[in-house]
């Protein structure tokens, strides 16, 4: 049976919060699940991150669902632009979560704003994979198979 643990990490004057989901056996690795900003909640529509964390735990993989600064239980200011990616905060949480799960490798999964942060975090030599999650957004629909268009802004 999997287990879930709240995680609170001091970061300067702020506190970062998240939930670590652990499998019932030694974890094979960690996946950091990064949400986007805006309308979706920190667990996402239909609790996508929670369901994904549970499925990965069933397969022996630990996860960290982190609340970005200013979101959920994390204090601080919510990032207002992609140029304000909280990569130092993400790294700090990932270090503590990996240590708690006793793993030395991780993967990254991000949606929207969270996917942007992956570009910086993926340079870590312990990173074993990345995933970008795009929801049904008309800006990314292709007009014909094989034809790519730039997102409408």
């Amino acid at each position: 049976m999997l287990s879930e643990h709240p995680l609170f990490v001091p970061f300067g004057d702020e506190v970062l919060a998240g939930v670590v989901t652990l499998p019932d056996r030694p974890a094979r690795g960690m996946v950091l699940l990064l949400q986007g900003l805006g309308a979706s909640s920190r667990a996402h529509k239909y609790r996508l991150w929670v369901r994904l964390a549970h499925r990965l735990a069933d397969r022996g993989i630990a996860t960290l669902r982190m609340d970005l600064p200013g979101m959920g239980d994390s204090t601080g200011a919510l990032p207002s632009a992609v140029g304000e990616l909280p990569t130092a905060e993400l790294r700090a949480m990932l270090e503590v979560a990996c240590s708690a799960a006793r793993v030395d490798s991780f993967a990254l999964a991000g949606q929207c704003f969270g996917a942007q942060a992956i570009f910086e975090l993926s340079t870590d030599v312990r990173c074993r994979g990345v995933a970008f999650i795009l929801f049904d957004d008309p800006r990314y629909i292709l007009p014909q198979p094989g034809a790519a268009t730039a997102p409408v802004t």
Side-chain angles (χ1 to χ4, degrees):
M1 180 102 191
L2 64 88
S3 61
E4 295 192 299
H5 309 273
L7 179 64
F8 296 95
V9 175
F11 191 86
D13 294 335
E14 306 302 336
V15 175
L16 303 171
V19 175
V20 175
T21 303
L22 298 173
D24 61 358
R25 57 192 177 277
R28 299 182 307 154
M30 171 75 63
V31 176
L32 172 59
L33 301 170
L34 299 172
Q35 78 276 13
L37 299 174
S40 61
S41 70
R42 60 189 177 174
H44 285 300
K45 190 174 185 178
Y46 307 117
R47 296 173 31 103
L48 174 65
W49 275 177
V50 175
R51 292 186 350 230
L52 181 57
H54 292 184
R55 296 282 302 267
L56 289 170
D58 289 343
R59 288 158 179 78
I61 300 169
T63 57
L64 167 61
R65 304 186 315 264
M66 181 182 162
D67 293 341
L68 291 172
M71 189 175 220
D73 294 323
S74 289
T75 63
L78 189 65
S80 61
V82 173
E84 296 179 15
L85 292 173
T87 52
E89 291 90 331
L90 297 170
R91 278 192 174 97
M93 286 289 283
L94 191 55
E95 291 295 330
V96 173
C98 284
S99 177
R102 296 187 174 105
V103 298
D104 59 5
S105 63
F106 61 85
L108 306 162
Q111 183 264 325
C112 192
F113 183 88
Q116 292 290 328
I118 285 176
F119 288 110
E120 295 203 25
L121 293 171
S122 66
T123 60
D124 189 304
V125 296
R126 298 168 298 164
C127 183
R128 300 291 185 252
V130 298
F132 301 95
I133 299 176
L134 300 174
F135 294 108
D136 186 17
D137 186 328
R139 295 177 297 169
Y140 300 101
I141 295 175
L142 300 178
Q144 304 174 5
T149 59
V152 177
T153 56

